[in-house]
Amino acid sequence: MATRAFEFIRRPVRRILKSRSERKLVRGIKVLDTAPTSLLDNVEWLEGTIRSIGLKYLPPPYEECYGLDARYMNFHGDGLFQIPRQFAKFLSLVAMHRPTTFIEIGTNNGWSACVAAAYLRRFNPDFELTTIDIVDHFSAWPRVARLLPLKFVVGKTSDDYAGKAFDTCFIDGDHSLAWVDRDFRNVGQHARVCAFHDINDSLTDINDGAGSRTHWNALKASLSDSSTLTEILDHTQSRSVMGIGIFTRRD
Ligand SMILES: C[S@@+](CC[C@H](N)C(=O)[O-])C[C@H]1O[C@@H](n2cnc3c(N)ncnc32)[C@H](O)[C@@H]1O
């Protein structure tokens, strides 16, 4: 009985907090849409914009993974599941290539996809981001669908796009070595820029057998003259959290 009464109060409170965080996302999309061109190349500005949109709420002790950025979590709400500086540096690097097409493997709550789509279309009016997931966790989708050049596809994996060449690929789905490798073979290797999330994440190492890190290290070992690798490992407390590895083809 007490549990049901508690749920009765908790549900509307959750809805209010969720709606509040989604309003911050929409405001952030507008900021990215209207910012002066002179600001777009400024990584500190982009990092600040990501912080102002807010990070996904993680209860203690998990919020520690954000380091000092934990203060930018949306209280009991949704948000980006990123280290702001890492994601800002990643998007700035991708923007230099002015991509038209981008695929994200693993949408989850969709906030990273929203920020990437809003930012990258400023560099190319034909830009379109496709984000795929085997499950629908994107609860903000109805609110943002018409605001962004974003295609959200549920129930598909990289197998459904095998051999298709996107300008940019962001691999962040199943983090087992078998799937990271499969995502790379299916779509990553055909992209000019292919990024991998969690190449330096101690928690992913424990939970998913270090698939992202192992695949990244193997890619590093087999690097040829026709490609470059960039590692983005920033963390306010120099901890091994997330990390983005970027493989860029030169040809
Ligand atoms: C770490 S989350 C993605 C986070 C998201 N990219 C972001 O930046 O917030 C991983 C997601 O991948 C999805 N997923 C798991 N296996 C997958 C697969 N084989 N193909 C596509 N998505 C997958 C999960 O349902 C989950 O939502």
Side-chain angles (χ1 to χ4, degrees), residues 153-166:
V153 186
V154 188
K156 303 266 189 223
T157 71
S158 63
D159 288 352
D160 297 288
Y161 296 86
K164 191 163 163 38
F166 289 86

Side-chain angles (χ1 to χ4, degrees), residues 155-201:
K156 303 266 189 223
T157 71
S158 63
D159 288 352
D160 297 288
Y161 296 86
K164 191 163 163 38
F166 289 86
D167 296 332
T168 305
C169 173
F170 183 43
I171 297 180
D172 193 17
D174 184 320
H175 289 60
S176 65
L177 178 57
W179 265 106
V180 175
D181 189 47
R182 191 156 160 173
D183 291 339
F184 182 65
R185 284 174 197 277
N186 279 339
V187 284
Q189 65 170 337
H190 306 295
R192 170 166 282 276
V193 176
C194 176
F196 301 83
H197 205 224
D198 302 316
I199 59 155
N200 183 41
D201 192 86

Side-chain angles (χ1 to χ4, degrees), residues 56 79-82 87 104-113 131-137 155-159 170-175 179 182-183 197-198:
K56 181 185 173 73
L80 285 105
F81 193 35
Q82 296 289 347
F87 203 55
E104 177 189 44
I105 300 168
T107 312
N108 199 257
N109 69 10
W111 285 52
S112 299
T131 180
I132 66 169
D133 204 302
I134 50 173
V135 184
D136 181 0
H137 302 286
K156 303 266 189 223
T157 71
S158 63
D159 288 352
F170 183 43
I171 297 180
D172 193 17
D174 184 320
H175 289 60
W179 265 106
R182 191 156 160 173
D183 291 339
H197 205 224
D198 302 316

Side-chain angles (χ1 to χ4, degrees), residues 91-113:
L91 291 180
S92 300
L93 189 148
V94 171
M96 290 195 295
H97 297 273
R98 311 284 192 262
T100 304
T101 55
F102 183 124
I103 185 165
E104 177 189 44
I105 300 168
T107 312
N108 199 257
N109 69 10
W111 285 52
S112 299

